[in-house]
Amino acid sequence: MFDILDIQLTDEKAFALLREGNTSGVFQLESSGMQQLLRQIQPKDFEDIIAVLALYRPAPLTIKGEDGLTMVERYVKVQHGEIEPEYLHPDLEEILGVTNGQLIYQEQMMQIAGKFSGFTLGERDKLRKAMGKKDPEVMASLKDKFVKGAISNNYEKEIAEELWNWIEKGAGYLFNKSHSTSYGLISYQTAWLKANDPVKFFASTLSAELQDEEEEVDAKGKKKNKGKKLEKIAFYVEEAKEHGIEIVPPLIGASSHEFREDNGKIVFALNAIRGVGVGAIKQIVNNRPYANFDDFIASNVFKGSEVKKGCVVGLIKAGAFDDTDPDRIEIMERYGATRPKKERTEKPLVTSEDWVDPEATMLRWEKEALGLYLSGHPLSKYSFVPYDSIPVGGKTTVGGEVARIKKIKTKRKQDMAFATLSTPDGNREITIFPRQFSKYESLLEEGKMLIIDGKKEEANILAERIRKA
């Protein structure tokens, strides 16, 4: 066991994870933009994490200085020794050295006011507030005080005025370092957990996606059904598997409401099955153990029960009875026979087509109930060259289901797309540039099984050819 409050802020595993941009699920660092920024900056210490959180905002990312560089670009170049940090005065280095010569934080501005002009703590805070409100009268009076104070501290008037203009110009984007630091600590702690104890990290992250539907209400006080967030859960399950973590399928006798750790594995949550609600789970757990599917039905299906048809169907499709009744189609058919005659005729739970290819039916049902394939993959029958064996820049072929597709327009108003492909070996990020997009647009739909040839990049694949699986 460990206490998250006692971990060191210098853990190399955590920083390696951050430098790789492997930060899905890491507090404040999940977005693709943040991941890209981390890969650019290559954080080496905790101060870099604080800076990343402060820099990932529109102004530092877009506004360019006289040298043609944005604050982010300048920070990155200094970080990697490509350029030297520049200071208006040597005394600024002790204040701005920690941010590669950049004025990023409000606290740095306040330090400068104290160092150069002798501002008291109260006057520094007054300056901070005035800059935030852009109060011209107060700013004018503070400028005069700032310049006079700097001169009395033996700084040249030109330096004082230039420094003031620099501070005033940047006042609109200065960030509160204490805020960034407190967030940065949580970011580091979650990165540390992901790097050092990924089983606990993924179990807790997956469970966090399963907030009880009963806890959230709308503006009128009515309970809202938030759903199971199956897409996000599927994403984290796939990533956990990529980290070498075994995911134990949901089982009626072993699974609980949440995802939980068990001997280095993660046991799938009952609450992550479509149709299985909080009330039903409480009843199911309270009535354990069960000898088999028939015992489960006898114990839980009665008038007024929380275990409704949708719950039973979801459990069967998810494979929750595989321990005692591994033939899912057979028990679904038996359960269907207990339903009212009209329902059996108009909406049978099993059709003759389901028996044609039982394995395909099982996988299709899994996807319906869980939002992902857990016990196999429809394209496992294909043989692909192992993805990890292919070097960056090499040609690769991957096959899988389109889990997500995002279509955008380039600066030239051309259509292109980013897709996530769920493959037998995990998710792969695919970039489809305009030329390929126009050629294969009809295939780019969520749920389609595709085989994609392309070029392997650091974090994605550039699609060159796309075809149906």
Side-chain angles (χ1 to χ4, degrees), residues 56-128:
Y56 192 68
R57 294 176 297 118
L61 286 166
T62 59
I63 298 177
K64 295 185 177 182
E66 294 179 358
D67 57 2
L69 300 174
T70 65
M71 288 180 67
V72 169
E73 290 170 339
R74 200 174 300 113
Y75 189 101
V76 171
K77 286 183 176 295
V78 172
Q79 182 84 343
H80 301 306
E82 297 175 23
I83 61 173
E84 290 294 323
E86 296 182 0
Y87 303 100
L88 292 175
H89 190 279
D91 287 353
L92 286 171
E93 185 171 359
E94 64 181 273
I95 299 172
L96 304 180
V98 72
T99 50
N100 293 349
Q102 304 296 299
L103 178 59
I104 296 176
Y105 309 121
Q106 293 174 349
E107 288 87 342
Q108 288 176 311
M109 175 268 292
M110 296 165 74
Q111 284 180 282
I112 291 170
K115 171 72 177 178
F116 282 76
S117 302
F119 273 31
T120 66
L121 292 176
E123 289 170 335
R124 298 178 208 182
D125 193 51
K126 183 179 180 180
L127 174 60
R128 178 188 65 80

Side-chain angles (χ1 to χ4, degrees), residues 129-408:
K129 291 177 180 177
M131 284 187 166
K133 294 178 181 179
K134 296 181 173 59
D135 189 320
E137 292 184 8
V138 177
M139 288 295 291
S141 66
L142 288 173
K143 177 182 179 181
D144 185 58
K145 185 175 181 64
F146 182 92
V147 173
K148 288 181 179 178
I151 293 172
S152 68
N153 282 335
N154 298 317
Y155 293 101
E156 295 180 1
K157 180 180 179 181
E158 291 76 13
I159 286 292
E161 289 180 339
E162 188 175 359
L163 192 55
W164 173 267
N165 292 336
W166 183 51
I167 290 174
E168 190 174 32
K169 183 179 179 181
Y173 58 75
L174 294 181
F175 199 71
N176 185 279
K177 185 178 183 180
S178 59
H179 179 87
S180 190
T181 302
S182 59
Y183 271 32
L185 179 59
I186 302 174
S187 298
Y188 176 82
Q189 288 171 336
T190 49
W192 184 96
L193 185 62
K194 185 173 186 179
N196 289 276
D197 199 335
V199 177
K200 283 188 174 63
F201 171 84
F202 281 106
S204 59
T205 300
L206 284 162
S207 292
E209 295 295 333
L210 288 176
Q211 300 295 326
D212 288 351
E213 294 85 353
E214 297 177 339
E215 291 181 359
E216 192 169 323
V217 296
D218 60 20
K220 296 181 180 180
K222 185 177 179 181
K223 290 178 181 178
K224 290 167 59 178
N225 186 347
K226 298 190 299 183
K228 305 297 187 192
K229 302 183 181 179
L230 295 187
E231 182 178 323
K232 195 72 172 178
I233 289 169
F235 173 82
Y236 285 124
V237 166
E238 292 293 347
E239 187 176 356
K241 288 159 67 177
E242 289 172 17
H243 278 71
I245 299 171
E246 183 178 343
I247 308 295
V248 178
L251 293 173
I252 204 67
S255 296
S256 60
H257 180 279
E258 298 180 332
F259 290 85
R260 63 180 180 82
E261 179 186 3
D262 182 27
N263 293 321
K265 305 173 184 178
I266 295 177
V267 181
F268 208 91
L270 293 176
N271 198 27
I273 301 173
R274 193 182 301 278
V276 181
V278 176
I281 294 170
K282 290 178 181 178
Q283 179 180 313
I284 289 168
V285 172
N286 288 337
N287 288 341
R288 284 173 178 167
Y290 307 108
N292 50 36
F293 175 71
D294 292 333
D295 186 21
F296 171 85
I297 294 297
S299 301
N300 289 287
V301 178
F302 50 84
K303 186 176 181 180
S305 170
E306 293 283 352
V307 179
K308 313 293 186 186
K309 173 191 172 184
C311 175
V312 177
V313 169
L315 289 169
I316 295 172
K317 288 184 174 182
F321 302 101
D322 281 4
D323 265 1
T324 58
D325 300 81
D327 192 332
R328 301 179 196 179
I329 301 179
E330 189 270 333
I331 60 172
M332 183 74 83
E333 194 166 60
R334 277 200 283 126
Y335 176 64
T338 68
R339 304 301 300 169
K341 182 177 180 180
K342 184 178 180 181
E343 183 181 312
R344 295 199 308 269
T345 303
E346 296 179 358
K347 296 181 179 180
L349 294 178
V350 177
T351 67
S352 58
E353 293 181 0
D354 293 325
W355 287 103
V356 173
D357 188 343
E359 184 176 354
T361 299
M362 179 186 73
L363 291 174
R364 174 169 53 82
W365 282 358
E366 267 184 24
K367 184 66 185 292
E368 291 172 5
L370 304 175
L372 74 158
Y373 303 109
L374 198 57
S375 61
H377 194 282
L379 296 190
S380 293
K381 58 188 177 182
Y382 290 91
S383 179
F384 298 101
V385 175
Y387 187 77
D388 292 338
S389 70
I390 298 170
V392 173
K395 299 292 184 179
T396 184
T397 299
V398 293
E401 181 177 11
V402 179
R404 284 181 293 278
I405 185 84
K406 181 181 179 181
K407 300 177 183 180
I408 66 168

